[in-house]
Structures are given as structure tokens and as C-alpha cells.
């Protein structure tokens, strides 16, 4: 895809190999217990679909939709799915960077080395993340034998079984309740993309616009990423502060990218906040210990797991992800409180009815814009 003399900008196979080699072992569990967990997660996913659709009213009962599969995976399976998604999304950008590099002296040699280095670095980041994700709606990876998707060409719900078991044990909560609670959140994302056909293409378009605004030399991009990684472990020479404390996204932004990022942040806040709102709305009726689970999980979200974990979360922008859950949930709750669920669902009408970043902070502005315009 991005080869020059056999070299690639990113060695994707090496990224998978590195991540799966470095990934932490999952919780101790017997084979029979593992089978039972997988079976229960699949059953909870089916149950959650019914509850989420009834609560959100995004898909009227009896409506035929382009459905997507539910895949219960381990950490290595999550890594492979996300590498496939990254490869699909980053293809156009890497092609452009390849062309810039190819015209530079020694470009092919740099590519051979840089692709390996970048593959290792991506693998290290994915190994870190693979033990923290409970579930994910993966929408960009192409359909393959090992990664089935919807008939439209992509999309599948991933439930990472070892991580769910690890967290339920860590929080000391009822495992059956916790598994259903997680499925309610993740099923909401599946419903969002299933019920809103234009959402996937819209997000992909915004991401491609963001990537297309990259105007830096490829070697400079790699160097800035490497500097950021060094700052995590104190490898930067004393007295050199540079770009410390900024996320990877912030490190490579141009002014055009910041504008796109504002729109993407608003959409992701909406999607995550809506999932939390639905999870809390359905939970009390079907998850007996939901109050205990919610309290313990929120504490875990806020605390992180030590200094290195906190640094990595900052570098990867995961602290921003936590704000998206909080700000988005407040937006959804306020709008539903003002105009009801059907009034809120106007948000899914088109890209023009999505909230802006400022409207996420001021829900009344979205209500005034969309409902006044609709009337």
C-alpha cells in the first residue's frame, strides 16, 4: 500500500507482532470459565439490543436495518481489529507521506528503517491500550474472514472478555450484572451506527480531512512522536521540556486540524455521553446492583493506575476521552430534559443537526438552533 522498494511507512505486521508479544496476560481463568464468560457476553449483547432500542427509540420496532455482528475477543483480537482499522484510515495520509519521502535523498532507506520503528512504537501503544478497553464499536476495518462486519462493508461490536473479567474482579462487583452493564453501553454505540446510516461516512470524512491537513515532513512527524514517547519515561535530556504534557493529537495539529478536531470532539462527546445516558437510563431496570457498579467504576475512571498510566493517558489524549463521557452525558441529559427523547433524536437527522463543541457545553443553544429551525 505504501511501499517504496519494498519498504512501508508503517510495518503493520510488526505492529501486531509487537503488541501481542508485549500485551499483559489476562486474569487467571479456566477454559470452562472462559467459555461461560463468552457465552454470557453474547447473550447479554442480545438482551442489551432489545433494551437499548426500546429506550432510545432510534430504531422503531419491526424496522429492518443493516445489522452488525458482535465479536467476543481477547486482547490480541482487539489489537488485530484496530490495526486493520488504522491501516484503512491512514492509507491516504501514508501514501502522501510516502510520496514526499520518496523525493528526498535516501528516502527508500529511511522508509525501510522508519517503517520498522513506527511499527514497533504503534505496537507498544496498542499493547498498553489492549488491557484497558472493555468494548468498542469498530467501524473502519474492512470485512475479512477473521473480522466479519455488516453487509454495508464494515462495523462490528468488540467485547474484550479478559478485560471485562479483570475489571469486575478488581471492583469486586457482581460479574453477571457488570457484564450486562458493559453491554448496555457498547450496544448503544452499535445502535447509533446501525440506526444512522450516514454516521460512519461522516466520521470517516472528518478524520480524512483532519489527516489531509497534515503539512509536516514525515520524518518530523516521527521525530515529534518519538520525543513525546521519551518524555513519558524521562528520556529527554535535563532542561529540555519541548512539547511535554501535550497529547499525540496536539503534537501534530495544524490550524486547519484544530477546526476539524473541534467538530470531531463534539461528535465523540455526543456518542460517548449518549451511551452513558442510555446505560444509566436502562440500568436500574435490568441491572440490580447498577448503583454500586456505577460508583465504583466512576472512581476507577477518575483515579487511573499510577504515574506512568497517568502520563500515557495524557499523551494519548485519554484524559480528553474522560471529559467526553462527562460533558456529553450532561448534554444529552439536558436536551432530553427540555424536549424529550424524540426531540433529542433530531440530533441524528443529518450532520447539520449534530451539536457543535460550544453547544455541547451549552445544550440550550442546540435546542434553540435545531428546534427553532425545525419549527
Amino acid at each position: 500500500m505504501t511501499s517504496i522498494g519494498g519498504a512501508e511507512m508503517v510495518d503493520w505486521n510488526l505492529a501486531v507482532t509487537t503488541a501481542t508479544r508485549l500485551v499483559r496476560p489476562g486474569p487467571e481463568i479456566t477454559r470452562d470459565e472462559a467459555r461461560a464468560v463468552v457465552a454470557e457476553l453474547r447473550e447479554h449483547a442480545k438482551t442489551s439490543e432489545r433494551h437499548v432500542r426500546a429506550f432510545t427509540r432510534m430504531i422503531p420496532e419491526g424496522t429492518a436495518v443493516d445489522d452488525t455482528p458482535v465479536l467476543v475477543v481477547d486482547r490480541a483480537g482487539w489489537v488485530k481489529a484496530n490495526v486493520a482499522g488504522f491501516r484503512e484510515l491512514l492509507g491516504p495520509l501514508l501514501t502522501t507521506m510516502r510520496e514526499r519521502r520518496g523525493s528526498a535523498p535516501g528516502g527508500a532507506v529511511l522508509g525501510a528503517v522508519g517503517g520498522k520503528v513506527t511499527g514497533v512504537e504503534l505496537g507498544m501503544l496498542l499493547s498498553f491500550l489492549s488491557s484497558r478497553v472493555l468494548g468498542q464499536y469498530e467501524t473502519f476495518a474492512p470485512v475479512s474472514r477473521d473480522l466479519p462486519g455488516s453487509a454495508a462493508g464494515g462495523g462490528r461490536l468488540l467485547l474484550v472478555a479478559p478485560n471485562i473479567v479483570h475489571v469486575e474482579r478488581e471492583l469486586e462487583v457482581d460479574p453477571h450484572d457488570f457484564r450486562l452493564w458493559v453491554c448496555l453501553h457498547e450496544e448503544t454505540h452499535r445502535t447509533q451506527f446501525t440506526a444512522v446510516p450516514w454516521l460512519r461516512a461522516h466520521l470517516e470524512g472528518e478524520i480524512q480531512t483532519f489527516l489531509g491537513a497534515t503539512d509536516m515532513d514525515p520524518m518530523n512527524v516521527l521525530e515529534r512522536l518519538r520525543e513525546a514517547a521519551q518524555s513519558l519515561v524521562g528520556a529527554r535530556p535535563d532542561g529540555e521540556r519541548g512539547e511535554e504534557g501535550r497529547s499525540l493529537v496536539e503534537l501534530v495539529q495544524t490550524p486547519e486540524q484544530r477546526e476539524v478536531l473541534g467538530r470531531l470532539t463534539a461528535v465523540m462527546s455526543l456518542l460517548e455521553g449518549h451511551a452513558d445516558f442510555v446505560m444509566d437510563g436502562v440500568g436500574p431496570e435490568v441491572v440490580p446492583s447498577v448503583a454500586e457498579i456505577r460508583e465504583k467504576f466512576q472512581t476507577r475512571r477518575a483515579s487511573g493506575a499510577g504515574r506512568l498510566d497517568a502520563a500515557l493517558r495524557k499523551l494519548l489524549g485519554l484524559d480528553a476521552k474522560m471529559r467526553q463521557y462527562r460533558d456529553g452525558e450532561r448534554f444529552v441529559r439536558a436536551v432530553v430534559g427540555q424536549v424529550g427523547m424524540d426531540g433529542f433524536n433530531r440530533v441524528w437527522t443529518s450532520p447539520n443537526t449534530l451539536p457543535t463543541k460550544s453547544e455541547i457545553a451549552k445544550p440550550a443553544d442546540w435546542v434553540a438552533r435545531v428546534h427553532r429551525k425545525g419549527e
Side-chain angles (χ1 to χ4, degrees):
M1 177 183 67
T2 55
S3 61
I4 293 183
E8 288 191 345
M9 288 290 295
V10 179
D11 189 326
W12 299 106
N13 292 331
L14 183 58
V16 172
T17 301
T18 301
T20 52
R21 186 177 69 247
L22 296 178
V23 69
R24 298 177 183 179
E28 292 186 8
I29 189 170
T30 68
R31 181 168 297 182
D32 288 342
E33 288 173 331
R35 289 195 183 114
V37 170
V38 171
E40 185 173 24
L41 286 173
R42 286 176 176 156
E43 184 60 33
H44 282 335
K46 292 180 182 178
T47 301
S48 297
E49 177 183 293
R50 184 175 69 253
H51 291 306
V52 169
R53 291 187 180 186
F55 183 82
T56 63
R57 301 203 286 273
M58 293 179 67
I59 303 177
E61 188 175 354
T63 302
V65 294
D66 181 20
D67 216 347
T68 55
V70 176
L71 308 179
V72 182
V73 299
D74 58 11
R75 292 168 178 173
W78 179 88
V79 166
K80 291 175 184 176
N82 277 269
V83 167
F86 288 153
R87 186 169 188 166
E88 185 76 5
L89 272 178
L90 295 176
L93 173 65
L94 294 183
T95 298
T96 300
M97 294 176 72
R98 177 200 66 189
E99 292 168 353
R100 293 180 185 177
R101 184 191 62 196
S103 63
V109 176
L110 288 174
V113 176
K116 299 291 184 184
V117 172
T118 308
V120 169
E121 290 174 345
L122 176 60
M124 293 172 66
L125 293 176
L126 288 173
S127 71
F128 169 79
L129 292 172
S130 67
S131 62
R132 286 156 172 78
V133 177
L134 301 183
Q136 173 191 357
Y137 187 83
E138 202 296 311
T139 185
F140 298 116
V143 175
S144 67
R145 182 176 60 84
D146 296 326
L147 197 63
S150 71
R156 71 282 300 164
L157 176 60
L158 307 177
L159 297 171
V160 191
N163 296 348
I164 293 173
V165 172
H166 171 77
V167 174
E168 70 192 24
R169 291 179 178 179
E170 179 184 287
L171 298 181
E172 298 182 335
V173 294
D174 182 280
H176 309 293
D177 284 2
F178 183 75
R179 293 166 196 172
L180 177 55
W181 188 73
V182 170
C183 286
L184 289 171
H185 180 101
E186 302 306 333
E187 174 58 35
T188 303
H189 289 315
R190 181 166 171 253
T191 297
Q192 289 164 348
F193 283 89
T194 301
V196 187
W198 53 263
L199 184 56
R200 178 183 184 273
H202 173 71
L203 273 179
E204 184 173 10
E206 290 283 61
I207 292 171
Q208 292 301 338
T209 300
F210 179 87
L211 295 175
T214 300
D215 59 6
M216 296 178 64
D217 176 82
M219 297 312 297
N220 287 340
V221 173
L222 295 178
E223 180 59 28
R224 294 185 78 173
L225 297 183
R226 197 160 296 120
E227 288 177 4
Q230 290 173 348
S231 73
L232 287 175
V233 294
R236 186 186 301 281
D238 291 341
E240 290 187 28
R241 296 194 58 83
E243 304 283 2
E244 270 185 292
R246 300 176 66 189
S247 73
L248 291 182
V249 172
E250 292 172 320
L251 284 171
V252 296
Q253 271 186 57
T254 65
E256 292 81 7
Q257 286 176 312
R258 279 191 283 274
E259 183 178 342
V260 179
L261 186 62
R263 296 196 299 268
L264 278 171
T265 298
V267 175
M268 298 311 298
S269 296
L270 170 68
L271 298 180
E272 296 295 355
H274 183 235
D276 267 10
F277 177 79
V278 172
M279 183 170 59
D280 287 347
V282 176
E285 297 182 7
V286 299
V287 182
S289 58
V290 64
E292 177 191 2
I293 291 173
R294 182 68 163 160
E295 180 181 0
K296 289 184 175 180
F297 193 77
Q298 288 291 70
T299 300
R300 182 182 183 273
R301 255 187 193 172
S303 62
R307 182 175 178 272
L308 178 58
D309 185 84
L312 280 167
R313 289 167 68 87
K314 172 62 179 176
L315 175 64
L316 298 173
L318 296 183
D319 53 343
K321 177 107 173 151
M322 297 303 103
R323 289 195 299 273
Q324 288 172 8
Y325 285 110
R326 183 186 65 243
D327 297 344
E329 195 274 340
R330 278 202 294 249
F331 170 83
V332 176
R333 186 173 300 279
V335 171
V336 172
Q338 291 185 57
V339 296
M341 185 64 74
D342 292 332
F344 165 78
N345 280 340
R346 287 196 190 180
V347 79
W348 312 114
T349 304
S350 75
N352 292 331
T353 57
L354 291 172
T356 64
K357 189 176 180 180
S358 64
E359 287 172 342
I360 287 287
K362 296 180 179 180
D365 290 353
W366 179 87
V367 172
R369 176 174 66 87
V370 173
H371 282 263
R372 183 172 62 236
K373 183 177 181 179
E375 292 165 0

